[in-house]
Amino acid sequence: MATTIANLTTKADGSMEGVFATLRVNAPITLIPNTNKSREDAPDYRIVNKRTGFEIGAGWHRISQRSGEEYLSVKLEAPEIGVIFGNLAPAPGGEENKKVILWNNPQ
């Protein structure tokens, strides 16, 4: 079962802003498009904690092997949480500019 760990709103410039929340963390975050990728495997997005300005993660465009559709795979990392992998998905309610990051427990 997937768990929502972030609620985001897409901005006109392609960035996304919202809140990353777990039992230990409640942080405002921004996903910023990485328009100056230095390598092909560099992240497509940088994830920044808006309070501190520190980069806490990244996101990569991927293609689903099952459906063939593109999605955004994210990795968040901080001492309080360790490493968390998730995927960006449309938020419930159907609003085009609303997104969530879903975490799937690897166990």
Side-chain angles (χ1 to χ4, degrees):
M1 180 173 128
T3 301
T4 299
I5 58 171
N7 291 297
L8 304 166
T9 301
T10 304
K11 303 296 182 185
D13 64 0
S15 67
M16 294 173 247
E17 292 186 348
V19 176
F20 166 56
T22 69
L23 292 175
R24 294 184 182 174
V25 177
N26 188 338
I29 60 171
T30 301
L31 282 73
I32 303 166
N34 185 11
T35 56
N36 298 318
K37 291 173 61 167
S38 58
R39 299 185 327 260
E40 183 62 30
D41 61 347
D44 295 299
Y45 283 85
R46 302 284 185 191
I47 304 174
V48 176
N49 180 320
K50 288 175 57 176
R51 255 189 235 124
T52 64
F54 297 149
E55 186 172 321
I56 61 166
W60 294 264
H61 289 291
R62 302 282 190 237
I63 303 293
S64 170
Q65 292 179 351
R66 212 177 309 171
S67 69
E69 292 184 26
E70 187 176 286
Y71 67 97
L72 189 68
S73 173
V74 300
K75 176 183 176 184
L76 298 161
E77 187 170 3
E80 301 85 359
I81 59 169
V83 177
I84 293 178
F85 293 96
N87 297 318
L88 193 72
E95 290 183 59
E96 187 67 28
N97 69 329
K98 302 291 185 183
K99 308 289 183 199
V100 294
I101 296 177
L102 299 175
W103 169 69
N104 287 308
N105 187 339
Q107 296 176 350

